[in-house]
Amino acid sequence: MRVRHLNCGTMPVPGDSLVCHVLLLETDNGLVLVDSGYGLADCASPARRLGPLRHVIRPVLDPEETAACQIENLGYSTDDVRHIVVTHFDLDHVGGIADFPGATVHATSTEVTAAQRPRTTLEHGRYRRRQWAHGPSLVTHEPVGESWRGFAAARELTAIAPGVVLISLPGHTRGHAAIAVDAGNRWVLHCGDAFHHRGAIEDETSTPWTMRVTETALAMDRKQLRRNQERIAELRRRADPDLVIVNAHDRTLFDRAVASA
Ligand SMILES: [Zn+2]
């Protein structure tokens, strides 16, 4: 399985900019996306699709950055995308799913419940029903019973392809998950928003205070978020030679992943 790294959304922050790190898996049974970033409809109608939160995260919304455009530039059709596995349903992760109406969308059952029945002000702001109003085929998963490199709650999604593993990592949202994929010569662990800046898992790097504030403000369960970050940091300290750890928004981790792919 070949794994490509795509940036499907840029968001400026002081002195830097964030990416929306999306994985494109080329499998024997078609294309699979891990997360989807922003989509074409988000670029065309940001107020309708993204709501007031867009004023806080200020995405650039360049159609050329969407997964749909990048996949077509690679010579594929959007119909070639059969599955999309999302780490969670935040608006900067599921905006692109509408560009692949034939794809089945996979997430944890807890996350889908949270998106469909938001309980808090934070959940009402972050989940944007219009982004999945096209009615995608949705498959929910309970990642329990299997383990993956020390994470107790994992589930291999063999119906998609061998080597695609959904790992429960709640905290940022109620049903947030990480997704590990077997790229042949390496595994890529996409941690979504389990951490926003690499400083959370790298002993040698500190997290800018602005990123720490944002991460805390967006967390549904801060203690769980920190516990999971410590577990990811422990895994990184093990320095498994065949493992690349990335997240959704850290540009440096994205650039390193592109360079090592
Ligand atoms: Zn995000």
Side-chain angles (χ1 to χ4, degrees):
M1 181 158 74
R2 178 168 184 183
V3 178
R4 293 180 191 263
H5 301 269
L6 312 179
N7 172 21
C8 299
T10 298
M11 297 177 283
V13 289
D16 197 2
S17 66
L18 307 180
V19 296
C20 288
H21 192 153
V22 169
L23 305 181
L24 174 65
L25 319 183
E26 297 170 296
T27 80
D28 293 340
N29 298 312
L31 301 179
V32 178
L33 287 172
V34 172
D35 272 355
S36 70
Y38 294 102
L40 290 167
D42 299 323
C43 299
S45 315
R48 252 178 67 91
R49 293 265 299 190
L50 306 177
L53 212 55
R54 75 190 189 284
H55 297 302
V56 180
I57 52 182
R58 297 181 298 130
V60 169
L61 298 174
D62 176 358
E64 288 295 319
E65 283 191 335
T66 61
C69 277
Q70 294 193 58
I71 284 168
E72 284 180 346
N73 288 341
L74 287 168
Y76 291 113
S77 151
T78 52
D79 293 339
D80 295 328
V81 176
R82 307 277 156 74
H83 300 276
I84 305 173
V85 190
V86 297
T87 57
H88 61 301
F89 262 72
D90 269 357
L91 55 86
D92 51 328
H93 296 256
V94 299
I97 66 176
D99 295 329
F100 309 96
T104 300
V105 177
H106 302 255
T108 70
S109 45
T110 307
E111 186 64 12
V112 171
T113 301
Q116 290 177 337
R117 295 200 288 279
R119 289 197 295 235
T120 63
T121 309
L122 178 58
E123 285 186 341
H124 279 282
R126 75 196 315 165
Y127 298 129
R128 299 294 297 174
R129 205 169 278 276
R130 284 200 173 97
Q131 289 182 316
W132 60 90
H134 61 290
S137 159
L138 200 56
V139 176
T140 62
H141 301 273
E142 295 279 0
V144 290
E146 299 170 30
S147 75
W148 188 88
R149 298 199 190 205
F151 293 100
R155 169 67 47 92
E156 187 170 12
L157 308 182
T158 47
I160 297 179
V164 179
V165 182
L166 188 69
I167 301 161
S168 177
L169 276 186
H172 177 66
T173 61
R174 271 196 260 167
H176 184 280
I179 294 138
V181 298
D182 183 356
N185 58 346
R186 69 197 192 286
W187 278 79
V188 179
L189 176 63
H190 189 305
C191 296
D193 287 358
F195 64 97
H196 274 89
H197 186 274
R198 63 194 179 283
I201 64 157
E202 293 183 355
D203 297 327
E204 69 278 18
T205 310
S206 59
T207 304
W209 69 270
T210 46
M211 295 291 287
R212 200 179 286 273
V213 168
T214 310
E215 180 175 79
T216 303
L218 292 173
M220 279 299 287
D221 184 336
R222 292 169 193 172
K223 282 191 181 143
Q224 186 69 60
L225 184 86
R226 301 289 172 224
R227 274 198 295 272
N228 283 335
Q229 288 179 350
E230 194 42 51
R231 291 165 70 203
I232 301 165
E234 274 168 32
L235 179 60
R236 183 178 180 273
R237 277 181 214 115
R238 264 175 34 184
D240 293 351
D242 66 335
L243 179 64
V244 176
I245 300 175
V246 302
N247 72 351
H249 299 307
D250 190 295
R251 180 173 289 279
T252 297
L253 295 183
F254 175 77
D255 290 341
R256 285 185 202 153
V258 169
S260 70

